[in-house]
Amino acid sequence: MFRGKQTRVLLLNDMERLECTLFRLEQGFELQFHLGPTLQGKSVHVHTNYPAPGKKFVSSSFRQLEWVNPSGREDDSDKYCKLDLEIAGSYQYYFGHEERTGGGFIVVDPVLRIGHERKILPLDCITVQTYLAKCLGPLDEWLDRLRVAKETGYNMIHFTPLQKLGASRSCYSIADQLELNPDFSPPGKNNTWMDVGNLTEKIKKEWNMLCITDVVFNHTAANSKWIRHHPECGYNLVNSPYLKPAWLLDRALWHFSCAIILRGLLWTEVFSQLKLWEFLQVNVEKAVEQFRKVLQAGECLLLEGKPKLKVIQDSQYRRLSNTVDMQLALEMFGRHTNGPKSIQECCDWFKKSLEELNVECYKEMHSHHEKAINCIVGTVCYERLAAHGPQLGPVTRTNPLVTRYFTFPFEDMTMEQENQLIQNPNDACHLLAHNGWVMGDDPLRNFAEPGSNVYLRRELVCWGDSVKLHYGVKPEDCPYLWAHMKKYTEITAKHFSGVRLDNCHSTPLHVAEAMLAAARVVRPNLYVIVELFTGSEQLDNLFVNRLGITSLVREAMSAGDSHEEGRLVYHFGGEPVGSFVQPNLRPLVPSIAHAMFLDVTHDNECPIQVRSVFDALPSTAIVSMACCASGSTRGYDELVPHQISEGSCYTEDWSNYWNPDALPSSVGEVNLQTGIMSGKLALNKLHQELAEKGFTQVYVDQLDADTVAVTRHCPTFKNPETHQYREHLDPMYIPGKIEEVILEARTVERNAESYVKDERFINGMLNFMVEIQNLFCGYSGYLSDMSEFVEEILFEKLTPGSVIAFRVSLDPNSQKVVGYLRTQLSQFNRLYKSGSLTDSNVPGILKIALDFLMSKLTLAELNVLLFRCDVEEEEDGGGCYNIPSWMPLKYGGLQGFVSVLSEIRPKNDLGHPFCDNLRQGDWMIDYVSSRLMNKGGALREVGKWFSAVFTYLEHIPRYLVPCYFDAIIVGAYATAVDAVFNQMSSFVQNGSTLVKQLALGSVQMCGVGRVPTLPPLSPELEDVPVRLNSVTKQEEQCCVSLAAGLPHFSTGIFRCWGRDTFIALRGLMLLTGRYLEARNIILAFAGTMHHGLIPNLLGQGVAARYDCCDAVWWWLQCIQDYCNIVPNSTDILMCPVSRMYPTDDSEAQPLWTVHDQPLYVVIQEAMQCHMQGIEFRERNAGPQIDHNMRDEGFNVEAKVNPETGFVYGGKRFNCGTWMDKMGESDKANNRGVPATPRDGSAVEIAGLSKSAVRWLMTMNENGNFPYSSVTIHRDGTEQSVSYKEWNQRIQENFERFFYVSEDPSDPNEQHPDLVHKKCIYKDSYGASSPWCDYQLRPNFTIAMVVAPELFTVQRAWKALEIVEKKLLGPLGMKTLDPDDLVYCGVYDNALDNDNYNYAKGFNYHQGPEWLWPVGYFLRAKLYFAKKMGQEKYNESVYLVKNVLSRLYTHLERSPWKGLPELTNENGQYCPFSCETQAWSIATVLETLYDL
């Protein structure tokens, strides 16, 4: 099957340390590091110790990765650095700007190979069997014994250590790590590691099996010869003197072992005699005398504060040899030393303090004693009295009271002599601490290091046959030990394909890291398994990351019942059945550690003893169905009814030979008639086949309390002799056709002798066996209500200990349909070529490639295909698809479905209501196709394609519908998006991912509704789109209009707003290449000009409202932008404009009445009207057009100050700019009062008018505009003002009247008492409430962009710095200085109370953070940064990219795939905001264009 290159993307976020997060990858994968929002724009460096090509891995050697930027422009959304992963192991990465600020690990799995052909053995194929190596006998006989594993279907053998063992003969107590166990050599022969290697190689090549073995780094046998020569390799009383008290206690307990065990005796005969507290105490008399001498020598310093005297521990841990800080003592107790009497007083004071310290030390040691006694008594009770314990019996020298914690390689002696022994370093160095484990201890803490009291408190569950090894922190600390263990590791790696790291959780991590690194030098694809008991998945991950662990051992025996064991199967591997097809390029998501799931480990109790003999087969069947490595321990399959201990009790037992002809009663021989071996062979084969063939999906179903289905049935662990099982099971239903019954097996009792343990061989229970293919179920197929083929399985004799395995495939018809469907999907992804079939009756529409059909769609039609919110759909009589148990989708188009699928696909959340809806019926797929088929034209053809391809979907099993629906929708969506970009500008086509996603906002916002939104254009104009009106059957214009925001401003008269349209038009239409549609919108609004203004609310022209002063200036700015961007752009000035209002007094003209004027005439009219002065009352003024506005508010005024050239207007009762909130609350008494009237000269209008005047002056000079001036009539005379003169007046007066100087005596400052922020630009000039002029708002940044020549560079930069500090939020700009008394950053339009400033959202523009101004701020910052020099520019680029990254993150996560109108303070979600707003998207796109 074609798989393609697999790429994973890891997003880096500042301060994100992921050392405990596991990322697993395979060799051949590409890993890309991308910058997260917190890092974009910064100069980030990524370092890794993954070696460069051709170099060797050195864990401490890090290299810096190079960045790749595919688009090479705009922003950091596509920027990445990468690793091509070809080497197994654990690798670290870290990143930062100036210092390390985050990092983590990646683990690359090894590739295991078997056979002469070096066939890959996938990790999930592994079936391992553990052998206790010491039970195998001479090496020459191993093949006969190991053949048992081969013949029962295992492909990996795990050996316990093969080294020479210690005196205890425990498998993990190794006497010499470099010497092969001499037991493996028969008399007269000396086998070597080379012989072992030859054996493992033979097994790998000829049997297709791998061999692994244990490595033990944490301890060595107590009788190891080498540690007698190198005692520094253990924790002894010379290199670890802090263990002296614990050693003395250990020896005292040894001497006490012959006494009667009573808690009281321990106190009186052991602890009180030892006086161990003296190791913590100070010799009071000696210290006081020293203190006296220091006092007499001179004066002391006074100490500030309240110091506390502390004991300084003697480094050699001698009794009463601790000290205190004499300087500190002087400062505390030596303040008055005028004579002998005062010196004695100080000494007495000091002595009392020392005695108090000693009491504290006594109490500390007493608490250790109490814990020790509890542990001792608990151990004795368990070992000698408890029914579940070993019941050791009487206390003897062989079995002392408690296990000794330290070695004692000397003849017996008295306690007094032993006390002298520790004074001699040559003897004390041989008193070595034993190893063990501490229940509930921190696995990252070394319990033998200083600061731990484990040995003293007797908390160690001690292995009295092993010495804990003392590595230190680096090889130089103990050279012999590091070299010895490295050689041991290299020998192991040379001859074995993998290692099991024993006692991993107690092995120092840095040691295991170094040793495994050495092993990987010898064998790069080393398989590493460990058994961890941390109790924490995060801690497990830390070990996996640091050590590069391949698999963690997981135990089926840890499950208490069948339900829990089924849960483990689901948890440790596999995906849900019907999972989504994941793309080859996708985010790197955290993993759980790969599992080696064992039905029993060699450490577990015998399942037959704990559960039942009938549990063996079902449990191993459940384990075999897990999508991970699986395995067992030799003896389980033979039904050995006791634990094959690794201790000394079974040292003479040898494993049985394989003999296919052996009789069941044969001793020392086994075959498929033995125990459950025949069942295990079938299950192992099945486990391997499922993994090899890509069966990665698992479904676990608890049929009833005693039956689990994992494509077969299995009883629970209850003993059938005592538990009442149901005699009759309900039928089981399987979707699809049963091809064959792979396995029908049950555990049965046969006539044979009861179990008797053999003294020489490890023998199993002969009176139980597995019966194969004894049919006890029947099945038949039928079609369900949803045309789905289902098999009904009827159970007849399902007895405890039974297993059934079915091979299920789709029924023949479904197989064909899926093949046909995959053929269609292969046009989107080559992955679907596999399994595709040719449909001889394929519908004609499916013979046409979908990309061809979509290439015929206009961008307006693509708006229908991809988007349209619920109210837009309702306008056409429909609505967005609604999932009854959940919610409606955000869009009727494909984006509505893709937004949900992109959330549930990575998680395979098949339980989501969306997936449930797809499985339950065809409603969703019918909606997608019928919605488009109802549209007509090219959309209908696309709808036909969906209808035809969905026909296939209706005839496959319902559990597959979500997966294939996702594939169809995602493929179609990607095709549609490509069709969008093919019709857009090179800026978009060559742009970054962020640019492209924002450009989709153009399609999102620009569409054609059922009723035309724009007034008609001149019939003389060319290239105007038309359609047939479905009601009148007449042709009508159908120009694209631009919605202000979704969902609130998307339909009817509230769709189009003059100000919103022309703030957004440059970004959404001109920069994206939609020139013709932009032209039509410009001309349509031009046709509605009235009193020299264009409408605020368009209302299709006939219901327009002319209550704003700024819309006409934004319109003029867009005409200027059009002429600067579009080829042959000045032709627009000659385009005919059909005037809806030929005169200021005329009514709206009928559609068939034509009053055409060239656009340049309309532009000149707007300029002349403003210079002349605009004053009128809105038509139909009153509550019928605005029920909130007061009567005075309907009077509109806009003029030009002849002295300054500034446009001014508005009144305190109307809102002339974008900050247009009108009070609505009667409770708060703010109805009819504008929250932000901004009358006078608004700063952005000053900038926009300057831009327009300058442009017209230049256009006239270039011969592209016929007017050089405006002519007005004033005082009965005609006056002319040239554009050049007007331009000059604004230029000369702007900073004079708008800049707020830091100089309080500035003669231009008319209201110095109102200044509360200096070095900024006023928000307005000449407001009716003068304090409003001085409010800090983001509006002057707009003027900086459209008319930068008005600003002095240094002043502008300082003002921008203040804006950045005070107004810039996570996503948008605060609309008011947070230091302002009326600032409120939370907008709640539903709140109606008596608070004047907040009620009914009165603070709409008094703090909430709007997104569209952030684009102008960033553009202004970039412009003036260039003027300030390269350093400032680089800093500004970082700021811009950082803000863009936050916007990109929101865009990615938003199901609306847009940027909101506003947020509440600090970027918090505002439920009253439009979810996606045209001007928010547009101004960010403009910023990217400037970059």
Side-chain angles (χ1 to χ4, degrees), residues 13 64 75 169 295 340 419 563 729 767 788 870 901 1003 1037 1055 1066 1088 1112 1135 1159 1267 1483:
N13 290 302
Q64 184 175 325
D75 60 279
R169 300 284 295 156
L295 272 180
N419 267 306
H563 175 78
L729 286 177
N767 51 331
E788 182 180 14
D870 198 50
L901 287 167
V1003 181
Q1037 294 181 6
R1055 176 177 173 86
R1066 179 175 184 264
T1088 63
V1112 68
C1135 286
L1159 178 61
Y1267 303 103
T1483 62

Side-chain angles (χ1 to χ4, degrees), residues 267-311:
W267 276 115
T268 58
E269 300 298 323
V270 178
F271 290 100
S272 62
Q273 300 293 328
L274 289 174
K275 299 181 180 180
L276 295 181
W277 50 82
E278 292 181 351
F279 286 94
L280 305 181
Q281 291 179 328
V282 178
N283 186 320
V284 175
E285 299 303 327
K286 184 177 178 181
V288 169
E289 189 58 34
Q290 183 185 358
F291 180 68
R292 186 188 306 277
K293 291 178 180 178
V294 174
L295 272 180
Q296 292 170 343
E299 297 181 358
C300 66
L301 301 173
L302 291 180
L303 184 71
E304 296 181 3
K306 295 182 179 180
K308 184 178 180 181
L309 203 61
K310 295 181 180 178
V311 174

Side-chain angles (χ1 to χ4, degrees), residues 560-725:
D561 54 29
S562 62
H563 175 78
E564 175 63 12
E565 192 163 326
R567 190 194 69 78
L568 294 179
V569 170
Y570 182 80
H571 181 67
F572 292 145
E575 304 163 337
V577 171
S579 291
F580 296 101
V581 176
Q582 303 293 344
N584 289 353
L585 171 63
R586 60 181 183 267
L588 180 62
V589 296
S591 311
I592 64 165
H594 183 258
M596 175 172 278
F597 194 25
L598 303 180
D599 48 31
V600 67
T601 71
H602 60 289
D603 296 324
N604 289 145
E605 295 178 89
C606 174
I608 294 175
Q609 293 175 323
V610 178
R611 296 173 177 174
S612 160
V613 67
F614 291 99
D615 169 61
L617 182 63
S619 269
T620 201
I622 285 185
V623 168
S624 295
M625 286 311 299
C627 189
C628 60
S630 69
S632 188
T633 294
R634 180 71 192 273
Y636 182 92
D637 300 344
E638 291 102 315
L639 300 180
V640 175
H642 57 81
Q643 183 181 10
I644 305 174
S645 171
E646 59 86 16
S648 60
C649 299
Y650 304 98
T651 54
E652 298 304 318
D653 289 345
W654 285 357
S655 296
N656 300 298
Y657 294 99
W658 177 264
N659 182 354
D661 301 320
L663 297 174
S665 58
S666 297
V667 176
E669 296 178 323
V670 295
N671 57 27
L672 292 180
Q673 301 304 310
T674 306
I676 63 167
M677 283 188 173
S678 57
K680 180 58 74 76
L681 173 61
L683 291 168
N684 281 341
K685 285 183 175 179
L686 178 61
H687 178 84
Q688 294 166 34
E689 180 186 351
L690 293 177
E692 284 175 353
K693 294 185 176 180
F695 284 74
T696 59
Q697 299 180 348
V698 177
Y699 177 65
V700 181
D701 187 13
Q702 186 82 30
L703 297 180
D704 64 23
D706 299 313
T707 312
V708 174
V710 194
T711 74
R712 84 261 304 140
H713 298 276
C714 175
T716 62
F717 307 142
K718 300 178 179 68
N719 192 324
E721 297 173 3
T722 57
H723 180 70
Q724 295 298 313
Y725 286 86

Side-chain angles (χ1 to χ4, degrees), residues 900-962:
V900 181
L901 287 167
S902 64
E903 282 294 309
I904 63 179
R905 186 189 312 108
K907 307 171 195 171
N908 266 324
D909 185 7
L910 293 168
H912 194 283
F914 186 96
C915 298
D916 282 342
N917 189 268
L918 281 167
R919 285 190 294 265
Q920 290 167 10
D922 296 333
W923 314 290
M924 194 184 299
I925 60 179
D926 289 342
Y927 171 88
V928 173
S929 55
S930 61
R931 172 181 175 270
L932 296 174
M933 290 176 69
N934 291 335
K935 300 298 181 187
L939 279 172
R940 178 173 292 165
E941 296 304 301
V942 175
K944 288 179 181 177
W945 184 92
F946 274 111
S947 179
V949 82
F950 283 155
T951 302
Y952 295 138
L953 206 60
E954 294 168 2
H955 293 89
I956 65 174
R958 300 310 298 186
Y959 70 88
L960 291 177
V961 171

Side-chain angles (χ1 to χ4, degrees), residues 1177-1178 1181-1183 1186 1188-1196 1211 1213-1214 1232:
R1177 184 171 175 79
E1178 283 195 81
D1186 192 331
N1188 289 318
M1189 189 175 280
R1190 295 189 183 184
D1191 187 68
E1192 307 97 301
F1194 293 106
N1195 298 323
V1196 179
K1211 299 180 181 296
F1213 290 112
N1214 56 27

Side-chain angles (χ1 to χ4, degrees), residues 1475-1487:
E1475 298 286 357
T1476 176
Q1477 191 89 348
W1479 58 15
S1480 299
I1481 299 170
T1483 62
V1484 175
L1485 203 48
E1486 289 180 279
T1487 305

Side-chain angles (χ1 to χ4, degrees), residues 1074-1103:
R1074 305 184 68 172
Y1075 304 143
L1076 181 64
E1077 293 152 312
R1079 181 204 72 174
N1080 293 342
I1081 291 174
I1082 289 170
L1083 296 177
F1085 272 88
T1088 63
M1089 182 167 285
H1090 197 37
H1091 297 288
L1093 301 175
I1094 66 165
N1096 177 20
L1097 178 64
L1098 179 60
Q1100 298 166 338
V1102 294

Side-chain angles (χ1 to χ4, degrees), residues 402-530:
V402 288
T403 304
R404 291 193 290 182
Y405 275 18
F406 295 85
T407 62
F408 192 76
F410 303 102
E411 297 295 330
D412 285 354
M413 57 184 75
T414 65
M415 275 296 295
E416 289 74 14
Q417 291 172 318
E418 288 173 358
N419 267 306
Q420 294 302 314
L421 194 69
I422 66 174
Q423 308 305 321
N424 182 355
N426 292 329
D427 293 329
C429 69
H430 295 292
L431 305 174
L432 298 160
H434 287 150
N435 197 20
W437 62 281
V438 182
M439 188 176 295
D441 197 30
D442 179 359
L444 299 178
R445 183 183 75 136
N446 187 335
F447 55 74
E449 290 291 335
S452 168
N453 292 300
V454 163
Y455 286 89
L456 180 61
R457 292 161 66 88
R458 305 295 294 186
E459 293 172 316
L460 185 70
V461 180
C462 185
W463 302 324
D465 58 353
S466 299
V467 169
K468 186 170 182 64
L469 295 176
H470 188 359
Y471 288 86
V473 297
K474 57 187 182 300
E476 292 78 8
D477 292 340
C478 194
Y480 179 85
L481 179 59
W482 284 81
H484 180 79
M485 300 307 276
K486 182 183 178 187
K487 187 173 182 181
Y488 158 53
T489 304
E490 290 169 343
I491 291 172
T492 304
K494 179 180 179 181
H495 300 301
F496 290 90
S497 299
V499 295
R500 174 186 176 271
L501 178 53
D502 182 62
N503 198 223
C504 177
H505 57 285
S506 294
T507 302
L509 265 174
H510 67 288
V511 172
E513 277 182 308
M515 296 304 158
L516 290 176
R520 289 189 174 103
V521 172
V522 177
R523 187 178 294 272
N525 282 295
L526 185 75
Y527 183 55
V528 180
I529 65 168
V530 305

